[in-house]
Amino acid sequence: MKLLLGPILYARAQATPDPKSHDVWSFFVNVFLDSTSAKKPPALRLCFRDAKGQRVAVFDEAKPAADLTALPKDTRGVVWRWEVILPRTDVAQRLSYHFESPDTPGVPVTFERPTPRDNRPWSSKVIPPEPLVVSDVVVPARGVSPNIAFFSCNGASRASDWSNLAQPFALWDRMLQQHQRDPVDPAKTPGFQLLLGGGDQLYADSLHNTLDVLNAFMKLPRSERLKLPVPDGLSEKLFAEYVWLYRERWGGSQGIAPVLRRVPGLFMWDDHDIFDGWGSHEDLQQAPWYRALYSAAARAFEAFQRGFLDQPTKAREPDDRGVVKPARHYFQTFCFSTADCDLDVVLLDLRSGRTSRVMDTGDAHPQTEFTVMSRSQWDAFDAWREEHRQRPENGKKARHVLVVSSVPLVHLRFGPAMERMTGGGVELRDDLLDQWESSVHRGERTRLLMNLFSLAKKSYCAVTVLSGDVHVGARARVRSRNPDHLVPALGTVGEVFIEQVTSSPIVHPPPGWLSFKGMLALSEDSREDLPGFLQTELLPVGKELYLRDRNWLSIRLERPKHRDTTARPKLWVKWIAEKENLPMEVVVEPPPFPAVG
């Protein structure tokens, strides 16, 4: 059998440990094989061994996660999924895994590799058949929260950007090295147990050049692109091309692939996972061809970033006009719980419902409403916040919430005049509308910030925002002096704040010095007062406000070393940059527990 892509590990929420049962660590392992039917699982068992070569666990049951057998011959297959549940011990364990046949236990299965496709091979040469043995999967010790690596912008939209990179995967190599390195302090957990993708994991813009029919469409006048019907077979052809992109970009032995095989991931898409600027092209997004592109990208996102594709042949519609009921968006929440701290991860979908609507005001000047999150996603977010507040551990256990917003809530600000600039060689509108800082999104952004401060108070948790997209590292702080947000347990402290940490890019080149200086000259980045007694502020990353260097984040949660009832677990966030050494870290502590009695 041929291994088309994988293995790829996907994280699972870890429930509150039951003291009467053995604590476990669980995730999924997916592989894309050239199977001809999703009804006949491969005769493979997944085996895990410890550092001494002793077998720790075996998993026999494979279930179909994505049936892609309807695709063309060189692309078709099935994504198979194994559910992994591993016991935790008092110390972290570094394990290896392999696949074997039940008929030959102990002998790793040899997989064939696919041959190159045309002039776009998924690797530089044909890889001969070989057994797949992956090591360095780290199971955290009992009662320990996962170490996290966060990244964004895994690619480049133009060939010239790639040519400017001497070592395009240098930071993925650094992440892999850090994952494989044991800490000096034996009490600390080695490596990473959670990989967070904050957007632009794929960069599908190349399809506009490599797919002739799409290239020809993009050259048509705008008026024709708005109305041109989708020809028969195009939707499935687009889907097959997106599947090929994942095989090319996420396969092989370089870049993201070695980390995907070792660290369970959670991913949220952004525009380049569809195509550059999706959500900010206004009326074009209602055009049949653009809807077909979205549908293909969404199905491929489900198959390879979510790790499960239901109804693979059914089209997807953007969650902007209630076309799909129930509405389809990709808002996700996960909880990683230990006895003394809950770590929740909330991934906001800023693309499936992003659109513009012309509001009929009854006069000659209709207003345009721009939204980033659909109404159905807002409802889901509100429901999750209420569920989080009502958990029995509220006010009794330390709690951290990581909110993944693919686009920063606080960044460079450009005025409305800049956003209206089109023509004359300046095509900035869609890039500026992409940002939360855009003037058309500021009301919705304030709503989100107010919600996050309300969450922090009502759930007695610390909220930290992780973002990407902007091709520089940055740090921001949002302060609130709103009486409804202040935490009584903090006493006389007259404000609370939320940290935002932006990490981008891990592969894409950072902006050139001259072009970035031009952006700074046209923007504002000082403190800003917002409605509701809120204030935003950019803070330095090292010596500068912006880290113009490729980077990713290392995130860890540390429990107090001494059993002090007043001490709370702190979240430590550090940028890992390609060239700069940044010893600084952002440290976040949850609020104290409410007084009893």
Side-chain angles (χ1 to χ4, degrees), residues 353-428:
R354 183 190 283 257
T355 189
S356 60
R357 300 184 185 90
V358 178
M359 310 299 291
D360 185 4
T361 57
D363 57 28
H365 303 286
Q367 301 294 312
T368 302
E369 177 191 54
F370 296 86
T371 61
V372 177
M373 291 166 53
S374 64
R375 293 175 184 175
S376 58
Q377 185 176 179
W378 275 110
D379 291 343
F381 184 39
D382 292 343
W384 176 83
R385 289 191 299 116
E386 181 62 19
E387 181 272 327
H388 190 262
R389 184 186 69 81
Q390 292 185 0
R391 292 180 194 170
E393 54 266 35
N394 188 11
K396 301 176 183 177
K397 183 166 57 166
R399 308 170 87 185
H400 281 272
V401 175
L402 295 177
V403 178
V404 176
S405 172
S406 57
V407 177
L409 287 164
V410 182
H411 195 57
L412 296 174
R413 297 197 310 279
F414 298 91
M418 277 287 293
E419 294 179 1
R420 290 192 293 268
M421 290 177 65
T422 57
V426 180
E427 296 290 346
L428 294 176

Side-chain angles (χ1 to χ4, degrees), residues 65-319:
D67 182 357
L68 305 180
T69 54
L71 292 179
K73 183 178 180 180
D74 63 347
T75 313
R76 71 176 60 141
V78 177
V79 178
W80 297 100
R81 162 180 282 187
W82 283 260
E83 181 181 6
V84 173
I85 302 176
L86 297 170
R88 296 209 216 183
T89 64
D90 291 334
V91 295
Q93 306 168 76
R94 194 180 291 276
L95 306 179
S96 65
Y97 69 86
H98 67 269
F99 291 94
E100 63 183 35
S101 168
D103 298 331
T104 55
V107 180
V109 167
T110 297
F111 289 99
E112 293 182 59
R113 297 287 188 164
T115 56
R117 182 194 189 207
D118 300 328
N119 61 342
R120 289 176 288 147
W122 81 321
S123 60
S124 59
K125 61 181 180 180
V126 179
I127 303 176
E130 60 181 353
L132 178 69
V133 180
V134 180
S135 59
D136 304 315
V137 175
V138 177
V139 178
R142 184 182 292 114
V144 175
S145 299
N147 293 335
I148 303 171
F150 175 91
F151 74 96
S152 70
C153 302
N154 176 47
S157 52
R158 294 181 296 270
S160 58
D161 291 330
W162 283 103
S163 64
N164 291 333
L165 296 170
Q167 295 179 299
F169 304 126
L171 286 173
W172 282 116
D173 294 341
R174 185 90 57 87
M175 188 186 295
L176 180 61
Q177 291 167 6
Q178 186 165 326
H179 174 70
Q180 294 174 320
R181 186 171 61 242
D182 288 324
V184 176
D185 184 352
K188 292 186 176 181
T189 303
F192 300 103
Q193 294 79 51
L194 180 60
L195 178 68
L196 288 181
D200 296 339
Q201 279 79 243
L202 184 65
Y203 277 82
D205 311 280
S206 61
L207 290 181
H208 293 170
N209 298 318
T210 59
L211 193 57
D212 291 342
V213 65
L214 185 57
N215 182 268
F217 169 78
M218 290 298 178
K219 293 177 179 178
L220 293 175
R222 183 185 181 94
S223 59
E224 293 187 37
R225 282 184 283 151
L226 283 169
K227 299 178 181 179
L228 190 68
V230 176
D232 291 343
L234 178 64
S235 294
E236 290 311 305
K237 183 175 181 60
L238 290 173
F239 179 41
E241 291 297 321
Y242 274 96
V243 170
W244 260 104
L245 276 183
Y246 279 98
R247 289 180 57 187
E248 292 171 353
R249 309 290 170 79
W250 282 26
S253 58
Q254 301 183 85
I256 192 174
V259 178
L260 293 175
R261 296 171 184 170
R262 291 168 168 84
V263 185
L266 298 173
F267 309 100
M268 179 51 69
W269 68 354
D270 204 38
D271 59 331
H272 288 281
D273 299 293
I274 309 167
F275 64 83
D276 184 18
W278 171 269
S280 301
H281 287 285
E282 301 173 301
D283 56 340
L284 281 174
Q285 292 179 191
Q286 305 308 318
W289 276 63
Y290 283 76
R291 309 290 275 203
L293 275 164
Y294 175 89
S295 176
R299 285 184 284 166
F301 170 78
E302 292 175 32
F304 298 109
Q305 296 203 43
R306 294 292 302 276
F308 182 82
L309 173 61
D310 188 27
Q311 298 178 311
T313 61
K314 185 176 181 179
R316 304 294 190 262
E317 286 286 340
D319 184 21

